[in-house]
Amino acid sequence: MPRVNRTAVLSLLLISSCVFLLFQLNYYRKYVSKSGLHVLNPAGHVTSNQVQWQTLKKFLALAQHFKLPLFLADVAALTLLSHDAVRQRDRMTREPHCSFFCTGRPITSFALQANLWKYDPAFLLAAQQKGFELLELRGEDPRLASLDTLSGEELPLHFLFRLHSYSIHVVLLYERSGNYLWHGALRLKVNVDRSFSPFRLLDYGRHAGAYDRPELILTVLDGLDVRVPRNISEFLRQHRHARFLECRYRDARSFLQLYPQDSSAAAVDFRRKAKSLLHSAARTLAALRVPFWISSGTCLGWFRQCSIISYSRDVDIGIFITDFRPDIVTAFRDAGFSLKHKFGKVEDSLELSFVDDDVKLDIFFFYKDGGVVWNGGTQAKSGRKFKYIFPHFSLCWAELLEVKVRVPCETLDYVTANYGATWSVPVKSWDWKTSPSNVLENGVWPVAEWAELIQVH
């Protein structure tokens, strides 16, 4: 039997080890050194989920280095987080490497509270040096606009980062005077590359939005440190109803050039009291979780002149009857309001009126009836009933007297229904029974029920 040459065997093993080492080094350069560690699927291929995870890891590391106060605002990812723990555990078993971020969408959304971050070009430059392509979208700063000054100054509204055909959207949230966060609409200018990102899939930017300031917590998702809203369900609910309408400052200024604002002491005093009343009413209804919108003359004032109509001498709000709560009267009384009158009943034409510091707050309850919406009115001395018809509308956020309030999104239709085509012309002599364009006679309350349905205090 031939003798085994130990030197030859050792040489062969050394050559084999070197070849294997060279293969590992080549694999490392190809799959690791450029983008970080990839986890392969059983077939040995890098999946789109893994590319997405690597992109997010690189971006979040940059954000952490530059101390960006980002939080996860992606609707699909947050929806997964809001599911119960069992469903989360099942999903993690199926896809252990990327359970929440990898939603099958080519984009992930984050929000940045702009007041907590000073605009830093160094971060944007570092992102580009890491291979990210950047699209920065700007728009006018509404906080600098007023009836006296129409600001042309712009501020960053949205950042879009792209790497490996995957996008990260950062929407900037700015503090507004009504103590809420606002983001602007995403508007593409003529020279912007429309193929840069799947803009139609963005969670934010179709319109401006308003949010309460969320409480954030730091957590670990798919092995990455990230902040998320503590109350995810509430944040998602706000997102569904976040659309914000800016006051029409240019039109308001044109209106006030024709009809100058009353600067008398009585008018100034009324606007001050109305602002206080609106703040108090908003706090009271928010505590009850009852949504409301500004209605009638108050809505007209916001839409027409970005302020309250001083000669109206009251504040008007609307509430859908489905949001009525029996403890509304008690809550307003506890807030310092006095009940002035209560007309109608929950089933028909309910109306409440309160007084605070000599200013009246009228609360009209609205009823949906087929394709229209209506609220009722009652004449106390005769028991006559009236109905005011409006086309169906949805609700948007707005700001009036430094209060975040809702308005009908279809504001022009709403105002025109109530005040006719000449709504832009002030009318100081107004009869609530005959002047509105949408008023109809609606019968008479039975005399036997007046004690219950017509209460004047």
Side-chain angles (χ1 to χ4, degrees), residues 23 26 49 66 113 184 205 278 292 315 317 350 362 368 371 427:
F23 172 79
N26 179 67
N49 278 5
F66 284 91
Q113 295 190 53
L278 189 58
F292 75 93
V315 174
I317 66 174
L350 183 63
D362 287 325
K368 296 180 181 179
V427 178

Side-chain angles (χ1 to χ4, degrees), residues 159-289:
F159 293 133
L160 283 158
F161 300 86
R162 183 174 69 178
L163 182 64
H164 301 313
S165 300
Y166 176 74
S167 297
I168 294 173
H169 178 204
V170 177
V171 55
L172 281 79
L173 298 173
Y174 291 89
E175 285 192 341
R176 296 289 294 260
S177 55
N179 194 31
Y180 61 95
L181 299 177
W182 168 92
H183 71 76
L186 190 153
R187 297 290 179 260
L188 300 180
K189 297 182 179 179
V190 176
N191 60 342
V192 172
D193 179 8
R194 261 64 174 174
S195 65
F196 185 89
S197 186
F199 294 104
R200 292 187 178 183
L201 298 180
L202 297 182
D203 290 331
Y204 303 86
R206 291 183 184 86
H207 44 67
Y211 293 80
D212 294 333
R213 186 178 290 100
E215 181 183 356
L216 303 177
I217 57 172
L218 181 64
T219 188
V220 178
L221 296 180
D222 300 331
L224 303 176
D225 293 339
V226 63
R227 288 179 175 81
V228 300
R230 178 180 292 276
N231 191 334
I232 293 175
S233 297
E234 174 60 19
F235 183 83
L236 291 174
R237 185 194 68 79
Q238 289 191 35
H239 177 266
R240 290 192 295 271
H241 307 285
R243 185 181 175 188
F244 181 91
L245 298 182
E246 199 65 58
C247 175
R248 308 180 318 145
Y249 284 112
R250 286 178 173 81
D251 292 333
R253 190 162 74 168
S254 297
F255 171 83
L256 290 173
Q257 287 174 346
L258 290 174
Y259 309 100
Q261 183 168 266
D262 186 354
S263 58
S264 66
V268 172
D269 186 56
F270 169 74
R271 286 193 289 269
R272 178 187 61 80
K273 291 179 178 180
K275 177 179 178 178
S276 176
L277 180 144
L278 189 58
H279 273 263
S280 183
R283 286 195 302 269
T284 301
L285 291 172
L288 294 173
R289 301 186 68 84

